[in-house]
Protein backbone atom coordinates (compact mmCIF):
# COMPACT_ATOMS: atom_id res chain seq x y z
CA UNK A 1 0.00 0.00 0.00
CA UNK A 2 1.48 3.34 -1.02
CA UNK A 3 1.10 5.78 1.86
CA UNK A 4 2.32 9.16 3.01
CA UNK A 5 3.32 10.23 6.51
CA UNK A 6 4.33 13.40 8.29
CA UNK A 7 7.78 13.44 9.87
CA UNK A 8 9.12 16.49 11.68
CA UNK A 9 12.57 17.20 13.04
CA UNK A 10 11.79 18.93 16.34
CA UNK A 11 13.66 22.03 17.58
CA UNK A 12 16.21 19.98 19.55
CA UNK A 13 16.98 17.95 16.41
CA UNK A 14 17.55 21.12 14.40
CA UNK A 15 19.67 22.70 17.16
CA UNK A 16 21.77 19.52 17.42
CA UNK A 17 22.41 19.49 13.61
CA UNK A 18 20.54 16.21 13.15
CA UNK A 19 18.42 17.18 10.11
CA UNK A 20 20.75 15.44 7.65
CA UNK A 21 21.12 12.33 9.80
CA UNK A 22 17.33 11.96 10.05
CA UNK A 23 16.73 12.56 6.33
CA UNK A 24 19.51 10.08 5.54
CA UNK A 25 17.80 7.29 7.45
CA UNK A 26 14.52 7.73 5.60
CA UNK A 27 16.27 7.98 2.22
CA UNK A 28 18.44 4.94 2.86
CA UNK A 29 15.38 2.93 3.80
CA UNK A 30 14.01 3.71 0.35
CA UNK A 31 11.23 6.19 1.06
CA UNK A 32 10.51 9.12 -1.21
CA UNK A 33 10.59 12.70 0.05
CA UNK A 34 7.60 14.54 -1.42
CA UNK A 35 7.46 17.63 0.83
CA UNK A 36 10.00 19.55 2.90
CA UNK A 37 10.08 22.87 4.70
CA UNK A 38 11.64 24.62 7.67
CA UNK A 39 9.35 26.77 9.77
CA UNK A 40 8.93 28.34 13.14
CA UNK A 41 5.78 26.42 14.03
CA UNK A 42 2.88 28.74 14.94
CA UNK A 43 1.15 27.96 18.25
CA UNK A 44 -2.16 27.64 16.44
CA UNK A 45 -0.77 24.87 14.24
CA UNK A 46 0.74 23.05 17.22
CA UNK A 47 -2.54 23.33 19.14
CA UNK A 48 -4.25 21.49 16.28
CA UNK A 49 -1.40 19.03 15.86
CA UNK A 50 -1.43 18.14 19.57
CA UNK A 51 -5.19 18.51 20.13
CA UNK A 52 -5.40 15.05 21.76
CA UNK A 53 -2.75 16.06 24.34
CA UNK A 54 -4.33 19.36 25.43
CA UNK A 55 -5.33 18.00 28.85
CA UNK A 56 -1.97 16.41 29.61
CA UNK A 57 0.15 17.97 32.38
CA UNK A 58 3.12 18.24 30.01
CA UNK A 59 1.14 20.09 27.31
CA UNK A 60 2.40 23.63 28.18
CA UNK A 61 6.02 22.47 28.23
CA UNK A 62 5.45 20.54 24.99
CA UNK A 63 4.28 23.75 23.28
CA UNK A 64 7.21 25.68 24.78
CA UNK A 65 9.64 23.06 23.45
CA UNK A 66 8.05 22.92 20.01
CA UNK A 67 8.25 26.71 19.66
CA UNK A 68 11.81 26.98 21.03
CA UNK A 69 13.26 26.98 17.51
CA UNK A 70 12.52 26.00 13.93
CA UNK A 71 11.09 22.64 12.95
CA UNK A 72 11.74 20.77 9.69
CA UNK A 73 8.49 19.27 8.44
CA UNK A 74 8.59 16.53 5.81
CA UNK A 75 6.20 14.26 3.98
CA UNK A 76 7.57 10.82 3.12
CA UNK A 77 5.90 8.41 0.74
CA UNK A 78 6.21 4.68 0.24
CA UNK A 79 4.93 1.21 0.94
CA UNK A 80 3.64 1.06 4.54
CA UNK A 81 5.57 4.24 5.28
CA UNK A 82 3.43 5.11 8.34
CA UNK A 83 4.26 1.93 10.24
CA UNK A 84 7.83 1.74 8.98
CA UNK A 85 8.49 5.33 10.04
CA UNK A 86 7.36 4.60 13.57
CA UNK A 87 9.82 1.69 13.60
CA UNK A 88 12.63 3.90 12.23
CA UNK A 89 11.89 6.60 14.79
CA UNK A 90 11.55 4.25 17.77
CA UNK A 91 9.54 4.38 20.97
CA UNK A 92 8.19 7.78 22.13
CA UNK A 93 10.26 7.42 25.30
CA UNK A 94 13.91 7.23 24.25
CA UNK A 95 14.60 5.02 27.29
CA UNK A 96 12.49 2.35 25.60
CA UNK A 97 13.61 3.05 22.04
CA UNK A 98 15.72 0.28 20.57
CA UNK A 99 19.31 0.98 19.57
CA UNK A 100 19.33 1.45 15.81
CA UNK A 101 16.25 3.66 15.90
CA UNK A 102 16.56 7.45 15.60
CA UNK A 103 15.46 8.06 19.17
CA UNK A 104 17.32 5.01 20.47
CA UNK A 105 20.54 6.28 18.93
CA UNK A 106 20.20 10.03 19.31
CA UNK A 107 18.07 10.96 22.31
CA UNK A 108 17.68 10.48 26.04
CA UNK A 109 14.51 12.19 27.30
CA UNK A 110 10.84 11.90 26.27
CA UNK A 111 10.44 15.68 26.29
CA UNK A 112 13.35 16.07 23.82
CA UNK A 113 12.88 13.15 21.48
CA UNK A 114 14.19 14.89 18.30
CA UNK A 115 11.59 13.74 15.80
CA UNK A 116 7.89 13.24 15.19
CA UNK A 117 6.20 10.66 12.96
CA UNK A 118 2.45 10.20 12.45
CA UNK A 119 1.02 7.25 14.39
CA UNK A 120 -1.65 6.05 11.93
CA UNK A 121 -2.70 6.40 8.30
CA UNK A 122 -5.66 8.52 9.36
CA UNK A 123 -3.51 10.65 11.65
CA UNK A 124 -0.97 11.10 8.85
CA UNK A 125 -3.61 12.41 6.46
CA UNK A 126 -4.81 14.89 9.04
CA UNK A 127 -1.31 16.02 9.99
CA UNK A 128 -0.15 16.38 6.37
CA UNK A 129 -3.11 18.64 5.60
CA UNK A 130 -2.33 20.70 8.72
CA UNK A 131 1.33 21.24 7.91
CA UNK A 132 1.30 21.36 4.10
CA UNK A 133 -0.79 22.79 1.30
CA UNK A 134 -1.34 20.30 -1.51
CA UNK A 135 0.70 22.45 -3.92
CA UNK A 136 3.72 22.00 -1.63
CA UNK A 137 3.70 18.24 -2.17
CA UNK A 138 5.57 17.03 -5.23
CA UNK A 139 4.65 13.85 -7.06
CA UNK A 140 7.73 12.31 -8.57
CA UNK A 141 8.61 8.82 -9.73
CA UNK A 142 11.59 7.07 -8.25
CA UNK A 143 13.12 3.84 -9.49
CA UNK A 144 11.25 1.57 -7.11
P1 LIG B 1 5.43 12.64 19.86
O1 LIG B 1 4.99 11.23 20.02
O2 LIG B 1 6.12 13.07 18.63
O3 LIG B 1 4.17 13.58 20.08
C1 LIG B 1 3.68 13.79 21.38
C2 LIG B 1 4.82 14.30 22.18
O4 LIG B 1 4.51 14.64 23.50
C3 LIG B 1 5.86 13.21 22.31
O5 LIG B 1 6.43 12.99 21.06
C4 LIG B 1 6.75 13.81 23.37
O6 LIG B 1 7.61 14.78 22.83
C5 LIG B 1 5.71 14.51 24.23
N1 LIG B 1 5.42 13.71 25.41
C6 LIG B 1 4.71 12.59 25.47
N2 LIG B 1 4.64 12.13 26.74
C7 LIG B 1 5.36 13.00 27.47
C8 LIG B 1 5.69 13.08 28.85
N3 LIG B 1 5.26 12.17 29.73
N4 LIG B 1 6.45 14.11 29.26
C9 LIG B 1 6.88 15.04 28.38
N5 LIG B 1 6.61 15.01 27.05
C10 LIG B 1 5.86 14.00 26.62
Amino acid sequence: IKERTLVAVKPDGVQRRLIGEIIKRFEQRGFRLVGLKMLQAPEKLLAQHYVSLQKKPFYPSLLHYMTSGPVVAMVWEGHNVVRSSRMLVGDTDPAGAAPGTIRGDLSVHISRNVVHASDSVQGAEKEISLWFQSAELIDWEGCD
Side-chain angles (χ1 to χ4, degrees), residues 10 50 53 58 62 65 86 92 103 110-111 113 115-116:
K10 296 179 177 182
Y50 288 125
L53 302 178
F58 58 82
L62 176 61
Y65 159 52
R86 297 287 287 188
T92 302
R103 287 170 176 158
I110 192 167
S111 64
N113 59 3
V115 65
H116 169 84

Side-chain angles (χ1 to χ4, degrees), residues 13-48:
V14 175
Q15 281 154 11
R16 292 176 54 207
R17 318 299 196 257
L18 295 174
I19 301 166
E21 173 68 30
I22 291 167
I23 289 178
K24 187 179 78 170
R25 292 178 182 227
F26 281 86
E27 284 199 314
Q28 282 181 337
R29 186 67 184 273
F31 295 124
R32 180 183 298 136
L33 184 62
V34 297
L36 174 72
K37 63 181 167 187
M38 178 180 255
L39 70 161
Q40 179 68 48
E43 271 203 39
K44 205 178 143 198
L45 169 61
L46 293 169
Q48 290 173 277

Side-chain angles (χ1 to χ4, degrees), residues 25-109:
R25 292 178 182 227
F26 281 86
E27 284 199 314
Q28 282 181 337
R29 186 67 184 273
F31 295 124
R32 180 183 298 136
L33 184 62
V34 297
L36 174 72
K37 63 181 167 187
M38 178 180 255
L39 70 161
Q40 179 68 48
E43 271 203 39
K44 205 178 143 198
L45 169 61
L46 293 169
Q48 290 173 277
H49 180 81
Y50 288 125
V51 70
S52 65
L53 302 178
Q54 256 164 26
K55 301 262 147 53
K56 300 281 186 190
F58 58 82
Y59 181 77
S61 59
L62 176 61
L63 278 211
H64 184 259
Y65 159 52
M66 289 299 293
T67 53
S68 66
V71 165
V72 173
M74 301 177 267
V75 177
W76 289 91
E77 181 182 89
H79 184 67
N80 285 328
V81 70
V82 175
R83 190 152 58 94
S84 297
S85 295
R86 297 287 287 188
M87 298 294 287
L88 271 179
V89 162
D91 202 273
T92 302
D93 184 353
T101 65
I102 294 170
R103 287 170 176 158
D105 288 347
L106 304 171
S107 67
V108 172
H109 199 275

